[in-house]
Structures are given as structure tokens and as C-alpha cells.
Amino acid sequence: MSARRILLVEDEPTIRTAVRDALRSQGHEVDDTVDGGEALRRATQHRYDLIVLDVMLPGVEGFEVCRELRSQGNRTPILMLTARGSEDDRVRGLSLGADDYVTKPFSVRELLARVDACLRRHDWGGGTAKLRYLKGEGLEIDLDRQESLLDGANASLTPKEVEILRYLAEHPDRVVSRSEFLTSVWGYPSGSRVVTRTVENTIGKLRKKIERDRKDPQVVITVHGSGWKLGEGIRPCDG
Ligand code: CA
């Protein structure tokens, strides 16, 4: 199974740590939080392949998180962690739109098996196809060879600038935040509190090379207060 992005919501530290480490040992990228409200925010801002969600949480409880996400039209698979022997919990979770549940206490092996099954059932497809070219707004970019043309002239993008475009193209139709860029493109540890304008500065330089009008960017669009997304006019293509 290829690496996926998983949101883990669990307030008990020992379980959270054990589950997080187990998922990471399988190569998955794991965000974790102890709080239902924070879970809702993250699940709304980012696209996850799976949410592992405890029922009993401080603040907004797991059922409410599940119900709210489904009412927003969010179809991300949800695996609930329910209390031992509580049939009510299981039925309630499933009726609110959870995909599966694991009963506490569970073994790490059992959990990983459920996670795999859940991911397999909800294979998004597409996510594994490797992007090669980006075209539009006067640009032709070969992501693998790192060759870039703007209106036929060499745009001379650096490898980092190409990686920014690749990352945006791999996560279409959503906003990529500064911290996500720092983690995914720059390789900072997840959750590190870095105060830096590296991302802004790099995107500023990138725009000088790829935007026909820097005052009106059409390729890397700023979403104020949130991050960046790829413009409508530039899309991946096969050749
Ligand atoms: Ca709990």
C-alpha cells in the first residue's frame, strides 16, 4: 500500500503515540491532534486519505466531528475508535457516516489491518499517477527534466521552484498552507513552529519567472490567510 495522509484524533497520549508511530512505520504521513474542533479545522483545510477518530474527546466529541464533516460533504473515510463493548457507540458511529470502527483496547496489528482495509476500499485513484507535464498560461513545464518555458523562452526554474509547482499540481482544488509547504517541499518536521518567510520569498521569485503579469498572478494564486493554489488555467497533461 502506498503512503497516505492520515489525520489521527485521540486525546489519550499513550494510544495517540502508539497509533501514530505504527502508522508512520507503514510509511504514512500522520497529522495528530487531541481536539475535536482542531480536527474539524484540519480536515476542512487539508485533504486526508483517512481520519482515525476517537469517540471520547475534550471539546467536540468524535461523533460530532463525524456528523459535521459528512454534513459538509466531506467523504474522507473515517475509522472510529470506540469504547469496549459499547454497541451503541458502534451503531451510532456508522449511522453518522463513519466507515468502520475498532474497539478499545485494540492491538496495533488489528488497527493497521483496519486502516489498510479502509484505505483500499476508498482508493482515491489518481493519487498514484505521477505527474510529468504542466501546461497553460503560456507555460510548458517538464517536471521530471525540470525544463520550463514561458511563451517559448527558457524560464530557468530552480529545482525547488519546480517542486512547488509539482506539489500544487498534485494537490489540486485545495489550498496549500505555508506549514504544509515547509513540511512537504522543504522537509521540516511536521508540526515544527518555524517562523520564516522562505516560502513567500521563493514563491515571489517563482512568480517573476512564470507569471505574465506579476500583479495579477494566474499560475500560483494566493488565498489570503490560508496559502496558495494552482490557477485554473494551468493543468497537468500527458505530453
Ligand atoms: Ca478519548
Side-chain angles (χ1 to χ4, degrees), residues 147-168:
E147 292 169 356
S148 44
L149 297 174
L150 175 59
D151 294 327
N154 189 353
S156 304
L157 299 189
T158 66
K160 194 65 84 187
E161 290 165 348
V162 171
E163 284 315 302
I164 287 175
L165 291 173
R166 182 199 294 278
Y167 195 83
L168 287 171

mmCIF file with all atom_site columns, all heavy atoms in Angstrom, residues 147-168:
data_model
loop_
_atom_site.group_PDB
_atom_site.id
_atom_site.type_symbol
_atom_site.label_atom_id
_atom_site.label_alt_id
_atom_site.label_comp_id
_atom_site.label_asym_id
_atom_site.label_entity_id
_atom_site.label_seq_id
_atom_site.pdbx_PDB_ins_code
_atom_site.Cartn_x
_atom_site.Cartn_y
_atom_site.Cartn_z
_atom_site.occupancy
_atom_site.B_iso_or_equiv
_atom_site.pdbx_formal_charge
_atom_site.auth_seq_id
_atom_site.auth_comp_id
_atom_site.auth_asym_id
_atom_site.auth_atom_id
_atom_site.pdbx_PDB_model_num
ATOM 1   N N   . GLU A 1 147 ? 12.536 21.241 -17.026 1.00 0.00 ? 147 GLU A N   1
ATOM 2   C CA  . GLU A 1 147 ? 12.641 22.196 -18.128 1.00 0.00 ? 147 GLU A CA  1
ATOM 3   C C   . GLU A 1 147 ? 11.382 23.045 -18.146 1.00 0.00 ? 147 GLU A C   1
ATOM 4   O O   . GLU A 1 147 ? 10.278 22.533 -17.984 1.00 0.00 ? 147 GLU A O   1
ATOM 5   C CB  . GLU A 1 147 ? 12.808 21.458 -19.462 1.00 0.00 ? 147 GLU A CB  1
ATOM 6   C CG  . GLU A 1 147 ? 14.143 20.748 -19.568 1.00 0.00 ? 147 GLU A CG  1
ATOM 7   C CD  . GLU A 1 147 ? 14.244 19.793 -20.757 1.00 0.00 ? 147 GLU A CD  1
ATOM 8   O OE1 . GLU A 1 147 ? 13.227 19.614 -21.474 1.00 0.00 ? 147 GLU A OE1 1
ATOM 9   O OE2 . GLU A 1 147 ? 15.323 19.219 -20.942 1.00 0.00 ? 147 GLU A OE2 1
ATOM 10  N N   . SER A 1 148 ? 11.545 24.338 -18.293 1.00 0.00 ? 148 SER A N   1
ATOM 11  C CA  . SER A 1 148 ? 10.387 25.218 -18.214 1.00 0.00 ? 148 SER A CA  1
ATOM 12  C C   . SER A 1 148 ? 10.479 26.331 -19.250 1.00 0.00 ? 148 SER A C   1
ATOM 13  O O   . SER A 1 148 ? 11.512 26.974 -19.399 1.00 0.00 ? 148 SER A O   1
ATOM 14  C CB  . SER A 1 148 ? 10.323 25.841 -16.814 1.00 0.00 ? 148 SER A CB  1
ATOM 15  O OG  . SER A 1 148 ? 11.618 26.267 -16.422 1.00 0.00 ? 148 SER A OG  1
ATOM 16  N N   . LEU A 1 149 ? 9.382  26.507 -19.962 1.00 0.00 ? 149 LEU A N   1
ATOM 17  C CA  . LEU A 1 149 ? 9.301  27.566 -20.967 1.00 0.00 ? 149 LEU A CA  1
ATOM 18  C C   . LEU A 1 149 ? 8.134  28.480 -20.636 1.00 0.00 ? 149 LEU A C   1
ATOM 19  O O   . LEU A 1 149 ? 7.049  28.011 -20.283 1.00 0.00 ? 149 LEU A O   1
ATOM 20  C CB  . LEU A 1 149 ? 9.059  26.971 -22.362 1.00 0.00 ? 149 LEU A CB  1
ATOM 21  C CG  . LEU A 1 149 ? 10.141 26.053 -22.938 1.00 0.00 ? 149 LEU A CG  1
ATOM 22  C CD1 . LEU A 1 149 ? 9.659  25.441 -24.249 1.00 0.00 ? 149 LEU A CD1 1
ATOM 23  C CD2 . LEU A 1 149 ? 11.444 26.815 -23.150 1.00 0.00 ? 149 LEU A CD2 1
ATOM 24  N N   . LEU A 1 150 ? 8.358  29.789 -20.747 1.00 0.00 ? 150 LEU A N   1
ATOM 25  C CA  . LEU A 1 150 ? 7.248  30.751 -20.698 1.00 0.00 ? 150 LEU A CA  1
ATOM 26  C C   . LEU A 1 150 ? 7.199  31.455 -22.039 1.00 0.00 ? 150 LEU A C   1
ATOM 27  O O   . LEU A 1 150 ? 8.170  32.128 -22.426 1.00 0.00 ? 150 LEU A O   1
ATOM 28  C CB  . LEU A 1 150 ? 7.445  31.768 -19.566 1.00 0.00 ? 150 LEU A CB  1
ATOM 29  C CG  . LEU A 1 150 ? 6.395  32.892 -19.506 1.00 0.00 ? 150 LEU A CG  1
ATOM 30  C CD1 . LEU A 1 150 ? 4.976  32.340 -19.330 1.00 0.00 ? 150 LEU A CD1 1
ATOM 31  C CD2 . LEU A 1 150 ? 6.709  33.888 -18.392 1.00 0.00 ? 150 LEU A CD2 1
ATOM 32  N N   . ASP A 1 151 ? 6.097  31.293 -22.741 1.00 0.00 ? 151 ASP A N   1
ATOM 33  C CA  . ASP A 1 151 ? 5.940  31.826 -24.089 1.00 0.00 ? 151 ASP A CA  1
ATOM 34  C C   . ASP A 1 151 ? 7.150  31.481 -24.958 1.00 0.00 ? 151 ASP A C   1
ATOM 35  O O   . ASP A 1 151 ? 7.672  32.318 -25.702 1.00 0.00 ? 151 ASP A O   1
ATOM 36  C CB  . ASP A 1 151 ? 5.710  33.343 -24.036 1.00 0.00 ? 151 ASP A CB  1
ATOM 37  C CG  . ASP A 1 151 ? 4.371  33.668 -23.359 1.00 0.00 ? 151 ASP A CG  1
ATOM 38  O OD1 . ASP A 1 151 ? 3.420  32.863 -23.522 1.00 0.00 ? 151 ASP A OD1 1
ATOM 39  O OD2 . ASP A 1 151 ? 4.299  34.677 -22.651 1.00 0.00 ? 151 ASP A OD2 1
ATOM 40  N N   . GLY A 1 152 ? 7.615  30.252 -24.823 1.00 0.00 ? 152 GLY A N   1
ATOM 41  C CA  . GLY A 1 152 ? 8.684  29.746 -25.674 1.00 0.00 ? 152 GLY A CA  1
ATOM 42  C C   . GLY A 1 152 ? 10.087 30.060 -25.201 1.00 0.00 ? 152 GLY A C   1
ATOM 43  O O   . GLY A 1 152 ? 11.057 29.528 -25.744 1.00 0.00 ? 152 GLY A O   1
ATOM 44  N N   . ALA A 1 153 ? 10.237 30.911 -24.183 1.00 0.00 ? 153 ALA A N   1
ATOM 45  C CA  . ALA A 1 153 ? 11.586 31.265 -23.708 1.00 0.00 ? 153 ALA A CA  1
ATOM 46  C C   . ALA A 1 153 ? 11.881 30.500 -22.415 1.00 0.00 ? 153 ALA A C   1
ATOM 47  O O   . ALA A 1 153 ? 10.976 30.262 -21.599 1.00 0.00 ? 153 ALA A O   1
ATOM 48  C CB  . ALA A 1 153 ? 11.668 32.765 -23.446 1.00 0.00 ? 153 ALA A CB  1
ATOM 49  N N   . ASN A 1 154 ? 13.130 30.149 -22.210 1.00 0.00 ? 154 ASN A N   1
ATOM 50  C CA  . ASN A 1 154 ? 13.541 29.394 -21.027 1.00 0.00 ? 154 ASN A CA  1
ATOM 51  C C   . ASN A 1 154 ? 13.207 30.178 -19.748 1.00 0.00 ? 154 ASN A C   1
ATOM 52  O O   . ASN A 1 154 ? 13.643 31.312 -19.582 1.00 0.00 ? 154 ASN A O   1
ATOM 53  C CB  . ASN A 1 154 ? 15.043 29.128 -21.112 1.00 0.00 ? 154 ASN A CB  1
ATOM 54  C CG  . ASN A 1 154 ? 15.494 28.154 -20.026 1.00 0.00 ? 154 ASN A CG  1
ATOM 55  O OD1 . ASN A 1 154 ? 14.719 27.789 -19.140 1.00 0.00 ? 154 ASN A OD1 1
ATOM 56  N ND2 . ASN A 1 154 ? 16.750 27.736 -20.098 1.00 0.00 ? 154 ASN A ND2 1
ATOM 57  N N   . ALA A 1 155 ? 12.439 29.559 -18.841 1.00 0.00 ? 155 ALA A N   1
ATOM 58  C CA  . ALA A 1 155 ? 12.064 30.250 -17.599 1.00 0.00 ? 155 ALA A CA  1
ATOM 59  C C   . ALA A 1 155 ? 13.082 30.007 -16.481 1.00 0.00 ? 155 ALA A C   1
ATOM 60  O O   . ALA A 1 155 ? 12.999 30.638 -15.434 1.00 0.00 ? 155 ALA A O   1
ATOM 61  C CB  . ALA A 1 155 ? 10.673 29.810 -17.154 1.00 0.00 ? 155 ALA A CB  1
ATOM 62  N N   . SER A 1 156 ? 14.014 29.094 -16.687 1.00 0.00 ? 156 SER A N   1
ATOM 63  C CA  . SER A 1 156 ? 15.126 28.839 -15.744 1.00 0.00 ? 156 SER A CA  1
ATOM 64  C C   . SER A 1 156 ? 14.653 28.630 -14.308 1.00 0.00 ? 156 SER A C   1
ATOM 65  O O   . SER A 1 156 ? 15.132 29.285 -13.379 1.00 0.00 ? 156 SER A O   1
ATOM 66  C CB  . SER A 1 156 ? 16.137 29.996 -15.770 1.00 0.00 ? 156 SER A CB  1
ATOM 67  O OG  . SER A 1 156 ? 16.598 30.211 -17.070 1.00 0.00 ? 156 SER A OG  1
ATOM 68  N N   . LEU A 1 157 ? 13.715 27.707 -14.103 1.00 0.00 ? 157 LEU A N   1
ATOM 69  C CA  . LEU A 1 157 ? 13.244 27.442 -12.738 1.00 0.00 ? 157 LEU A CA  1
ATOM 70  C C   . LEU A 1 157 ? 14.268 26.613 -11.968 1.00 0.00 ? 157 LEU A C   1
ATOM 71  O O   . LEU A 1 157 ? 14.917 25.732 -12.523 1.00 0.00 ? 157 LEU A O   1
ATOM 72  C CB  . LEU A 1 157 ? 11.911 26.677 -12.772 1.00 0.00 ? 157 LEU A CB  1
ATOM 73  C CG  . LEU A 1 157 ? 10.743 27.377 -13.449 1.00 0.00 ? 157 LEU A CG  1
ATOM 74  C CD1 . LEU A 1 157 ? 9.460  26.599 -13.199 1.00 0.00 ? 157 LEU A CD1 1
ATOM 75  C CD2 . LEU A 1 157 ? 10.591 28.810 -12.986 1.00 0.00 ? 157 LEU A CD2 1
ATOM 76  N N   . THR A 1 158 ? 14.403 26.905 -10.679 1.00 0.00 ? 158 THR A N   1
ATOM 77  C CA  . THR A 1 158 ? 15.258 26.091 -9.823  1.00 0.00 ? 158 THR A CA  1
ATOM 78  C C   . THR A 1 158 ? 14.502 24.810 -9.447  1.00 0.00 ? 158 THR A C   1
ATOM 79  O O   . THR A 1 158 ? 13.271 24.753 -9.545  1.00 0.00 ? 158 THR A O   1
ATOM 80  C CB  . THR A 1 158 ? 15.604 26.832 -8.519  1.00 0.00 ? 158 THR A CB  1
ATOM 81  O OG1 . THR A 1 158 ? 14.391 26.989 -7.764  1.00 0.00 ? 158 THR A OG1 1
ATOM 82  C CG2 . THR A 1 158 ? 16.209 28.197 -8.795  1.00 0.00 ? 158 THR A CG2 1
ATOM 83  N N   . PRO A 1 159 ? 15.231 23.777 -8.984  1.00 0.00 ? 159 PRO A N   1
ATOM 84  C CA  . PRO A 1 159 ? 14.544 22.548 -8.558  1.00 0.00 ? 159 PRO A CA  1
ATOM 85  C C   . PRO A 1 159 ? 13.465 22.818 -7.508  1.00 0.00 ? 159 PRO A C   1
ATOM 86  O O   . PRO A 1 159 ? 12.381 22.229 -7.555  1.00 0.00 ? 159 PRO A O   1
ATOM 87  C CB  . PRO A 1 159 ? 15.682 21.696 -7.982  1.00 0.00 ? 159 PRO A CB  1
ATOM 88  C CG  . PRO A 1 159 ? 16.898 22.151 -8.730  1.00 0.00 ? 159 PRO A CG  1
ATOM 89  C CD  . PRO A 1 159 ? 16.707 23.626 -8.963  1.00 0.00 ? 159 PRO A CD  1
ATOM 90  N N   . LYS A 1 160 ? 13.728 23.709 -6.557  1.00 0.00 ? 160 LYS A N   1
ATOM 91  C CA  . LYS A 1 160 ? 12.729 23.994 -5.520  1.00 0.00 ? 160 LYS A CA  1
ATOM 92  C C   . LYS A 1 160 ? 11.474 24.624 -6.124  1.00 0.00 ? 160 LYS A C   1
ATOM 93  O O   . LYS A 1 160 ? 10.351 24.303 -5.725  1.00 0.00 ? 160 LYS A O   1
ATOM 94  C CB  . LYS A 1 160 ? 13.349 24.930 -4.469  1.00 0.00 ? 160 LYS A CB  1
ATOM 95  C CG  . LYS A 1 160 ? 12.552 25.036 -3.199  1.00 0.00 ? 160 LYS A CG  1
ATOM 96  C CD  . LYS A 1 160 ? 12.500 23.728 -2.439  1.00 0.00 ? 160 LYS A CD  1
ATOM 97  C CE  . LYS A 1 160 ? 13.710 23.528 -1.556  1.00 0.00 ? 160 LYS A CE  1
ATOM 98  N NZ  . LYS A 1 160 ? 13.713 22.173 -0.952  1.00 0.00 ? 160 LYS A NZ  1
ATOM 99  N N   . GLU A 1 161 ? 11.679 25.520 -7.078  1.00 0.00 ? 161 GLU A N   1
ATOM 100 C CA  . GLU A 1 161 ? 10.525 26.159 -7.730  1.00 0.00 ? 161 GLU A CA  1
ATOM 101 C C   . GLU A 1 161 ? 9.687  25.126 -8.491  1.00 0.00 ? 161 GLU A C   1
ATOM 102 O O   . GLU A 1 161 ? 8.456  25.169 -8.466  1.00 0.00 ? 161 GLU A O   1
ATOM 103 C CB  . GLU A 1 161 ? 11.030 27.268 -8.662  1.00 0.00 ? 161 GLU A CB  1
ATOM 104 C CG  . GLU A 1 161 ? 11.601 28.461 -7.881  1.00 0.00 ? 161 GLU A CG  1
ATOM 105 C CD  . GLU A 1 161 ? 12.431 29.402 -8.729  1.00 0.00 ? 161 GLU A CD  1
ATOM 106 O OE1 . GLU A 1 161 ? 12.787 29.057 -9.882  1.00 0.00 ? 161 GLU A OE1 1
ATOM 107 O OE2 . GLU A 1 161 ? 12.758 30.503 -8.247  1.00 0.00 ? 161 GLU A OE2 1
ATOM 108 N N   . VAL A 1 162 ? 10.373 24.183 -9.117  1.00 0.00 ? 162 VAL A N   1
ATOM 109 C CA  . VAL A 1 162 ? 9.644  23.124 -9.821  1.00 0.00 ? 162 VAL A CA  1
ATOM 110 C C   . VAL A 1 162 ? 8.884  22.255 -8.821  1.00 0.00 ? 162 VAL A C   1
ATOM 111 O O   . VAL A 1 162 ? 7.723  21.864 -9.056  1.00 0.00 ? 162 VAL A O   1
ATOM 112 C CB  . VAL A 1 162 ? 10.610 22.259 -10.667 1.00 0.00 ? 162 VAL A CB  1
ATOM 113 C CG1 . VAL A 1 162 ? 9.906  21.027 -11.223 1.00 0.00 ? 162 VAL A CG1 1
ATOM 114 C CG2 . VAL A 1 162 ? 11.207 23.098 -11.799 1.00 0.00 ? 162 VAL A CG2 1
ATOM 115 N N   . GLU A 1 163 ? 9.503  21.985 -7.659  1.00 0.00 ? 163 GLU A N   1
ATOM 116 C CA  . GLU A 1 163 ? 8.833  21.153 -6.653  1.00 0.00 ? 163 GLU A CA  1
ATOM 117 C C   . GLU A 1 163 ? 7.577  21.840 -6.102  1.00 0.00 ? 163 GLU A C   1
ATOM 118 O O   . GLU A 1 163 ? 6.587  21.180 -5.778  1.00 0.00 ? 163 GLU A O   1
ATOM 119 C CB  . GLU A 1 163 ? 9.785  20.796 -5.508  1.00 0.00 ? 163 GLU A CB  1
ATOM 120 C CG  . GLU A 1 163 ? 10.804 19.722 -5.860  1.00 0.00 ? 163 GLU A CG  1
ATOM 121 C CD  . GLU A 1 163 ? 10.173 18.543 -6.595  1.00 0.00 ? 163 GLU A CD  1
ATOM 122 O OE1 . GLU A 1 163 ? 9.251  17.911 -6.059  1.00 0.00 ? 163 GLU A OE1 1
ATOM 123 O OE2 . GLU A 1 163 ? 10.612 18.269 -7.744  1.00 0.00 ? 163 GLU A OE2 1
ATOM 124 N N   . ILE A 1 164 ? 7.628  23.147 -5.973  1.00 0.00 ? 164 ILE A N   1
ATOM 125 C CA  . ILE A 1 164 ? 6.438  23.888 -5.532  1.00 0.00 ? 164 ILE A CA  1
ATOM 126 C C   . ILE A 1 164 ? 5.295  23.693 -6.527  1.00 0.00 ? 164 ILE A C   1
ATOM 127 O O   . ILE A 1 164 ? 4.154  23.383 -6.149  1.00 0.00 ? 164 ILE A O   1
ATOM 128 C CB  . ILE A 1 164 ? 6.767  25.381 -5.371  1.00 0.00 ? 164 ILE A CB  1
ATOM 129 C CG1 . ILE A 1 164 ? 7.634  25.588 -4.122  1.00 0.00 ? 164 ILE A CG1 1
ATOM 130 C CG2 . ILE A 1 164 ? 5.494  26.228 -5.286  1.00 0.00 ? 164 ILE A CG2 1
ATOM 131 C CD1 . ILE A 1 164 ? 8.101  27.014 -3.952  1.00 0.00 ? 164 ILE A CD1 1
ATOM 132 N N   . LEU A 1 165 ? 5.618  23.831 -7.798  1.00 0.00 ? 165 LEU A N   1
ATOM 133 C CA  . LEU A 1 165 ? 4.571  23.659 -8.817  1.00 0.00 ? 165 LEU A CA  1
ATOM 134 C C   . LEU A 1 165 ? 4.064  22.224 -8.844  1.00 0.00 ? 165 LEU A C   1
ATOM 135 O O   . LEU A 1 165 ? 2.872  21.969 -8.953  1.00 0.00 ? 165 LEU A O   1
ATOM 136 C CB  . LEU A 1 165 ? 5.119  24.057 -10.192 1.00 0.00 ? 165 LEU A CB  1
ATOM 137 C CG  . LEU A 1 165 ? 5.396  25.546 -10.359 1.00 0.00 ? 165 LEU A CG  1
ATOM 138 C CD1 . LEU A 1 165 ? 6.100  25.813 -11.687 1.00 0.00 ? 165 LEU A CD1 1
ATOM 139 C CD2 . LEU A 1 165 ? 4.099  26.358 -10.289 1.00 0.00 ? 165 LEU A CD2 1
ATOM 140 N N   . ARG A 1 166 ? 5.001  21.282 -8.692  1.00 0.00 ? 166 ARG A N   1
ATOM 141 C CA  . ARG A 1 166 ? 4.580  19.882 -8.693  1.00 0.00 ? 166 ARG A CA  1
ATOM 142 C C   . ARG A 1 166 ? 3.639  19.613 -7.515  1.00 0.00 ? 166 ARG A C   1
ATOM 143 O O   . ARG A 1 166 ? 2.601  18.968 -7.653  1.00 0.00 ? 166 ARG A O   1
ATOM 144 C CB  . ARG A 1 166 ? 5.789  18.945 -8.602  1.00 0.00 ? 166 ARG A CB  1
ATOM 145 C CG  . ARG A 1 166 ? 5.404  17.467 -8.654  1.00 0.00 ? 166 ARG A CG  1
ATOM 146 C CD  . ARG A 1 166 ? 6.491  16.560 -8.122  1.00 0.00 ? 166 ARG A CD  1
ATOM 147 N NE  . ARG A 1 166 ? 7.693  16.545 -8.921  1.00 0.00 ? 166 ARG A NE  1
ATOM 148 C CZ  . ARG A 1 166 ? 7.847  15.798 -10.023 1.00 0.00 ? 166 ARG A CZ  1
ATOM 149 N NH1 . ARG A 1 166 ? 6.874  15.036 -10.444 1.00 0.00 ? 166 ARG A NH1 1
ATOM 150 N NH2 . ARG A 1 166 ? 8.986  15.832 -10.690 1.00 0.00 ? 166 ARG A NH2 1
ATOM 151 N N   . TYR A 1 167 ? 4.005  20.144 -6.348  1.00 0.00 ? 167 TYR A N   1
ATOM 152 C CA  . TYR A 1 167 ? 3.191  19.875 -5.160  1.00 0.00 ? 167 TYR A CA  1
ATOM 153 C C   . TYR A 1 167 ? 1.793  20.468 -5.307  1.00 0.00 ? 167 TYR A C   1
ATOM 154 O O   . TYR A 1 167 ? 0.789  19.836 -4.967  1.00 0.00 ? 167 TYR A O   1
ATOM 155 C CB  . TYR A 1 167 ? 3.884  20.417 -3.899  1.00 0.00 ? 167 TYR A CB  1
ATOM 156 C CG  . TYR A 1 167 ? 3.271  19.865 -2.644  1.00 0.00 ? 167 TYR A CG  1
ATOM 157 C CD1 . TYR A 1 167 ? 3.647  18.622 -2.165  1.00 0.00 ? 167 TYR A CD1 1
ATOM 158 C CD2 . TYR A 1 167 ? 2.279  20.581 -1.972  1.00 0.00 ? 167 TYR A CD2 1
ATOM 159 C CE1 . TYR A 1 167 ? 3.061  18.086 -1.036  1.00 0.00 ? 167 TYR A CE1 1
ATOM 160 C CE2 . TYR A 1 167 ? 1.682  20.049 -0.833  1.00 0.00 ? 167 TYR A CE2 1
ATOM 161 C CZ  . TYR A 1 167 ? 2.083  18.802 -0.374  1.00 0.00 ? 167 TYR A CZ  1
ATOM 162 O OH  . TYR A 1 167 ? 1.482  18.271 0.740   1.00 0.00 ? 167 TYR A OH  1
ATOM 163 N N   . LEU A 1 168 ? 1.731  21.688 -5.821  1.00 0.00 ? 168 LEU A N   1
ATOM 164 C CA  . LEU A 1 168 ? 0.413  22.304 -6.036  1.00 0.00 ? 168 LEU A CA  1
ATOM 165 C C   . LEU A 1 168 ? -0.403 21.481 -7.030  1.00 0.00 ? 168 LEU A C   1
ATOM 166 O O   . LEU A 1 168 ? -1.605 21.270 -6.841  1.00 0.00 ? 168 LEU A O   1
ATOM 167 C CB  . LEU A 1 168 ? 0.575  23.739 -6.560  1.00 0.00 ? 168 LEU A CB  1
ATOM 168 C CG  . LEU A 1 168 ? 1.058  24.770 -5.545  1.00 0.00 ? 168 LEU A CG  1
ATOM 169 C CD1 . LEU A 1 168 ? 1.382  26.082 -6.240  1.00 0.00 ? 168 LEU A CD1 1
ATOM 170 C CD2 . LEU A 1 168 ? 0.011  24.996 -4.460  1.00 0.00 ? 168 LEU A CD2 1
#
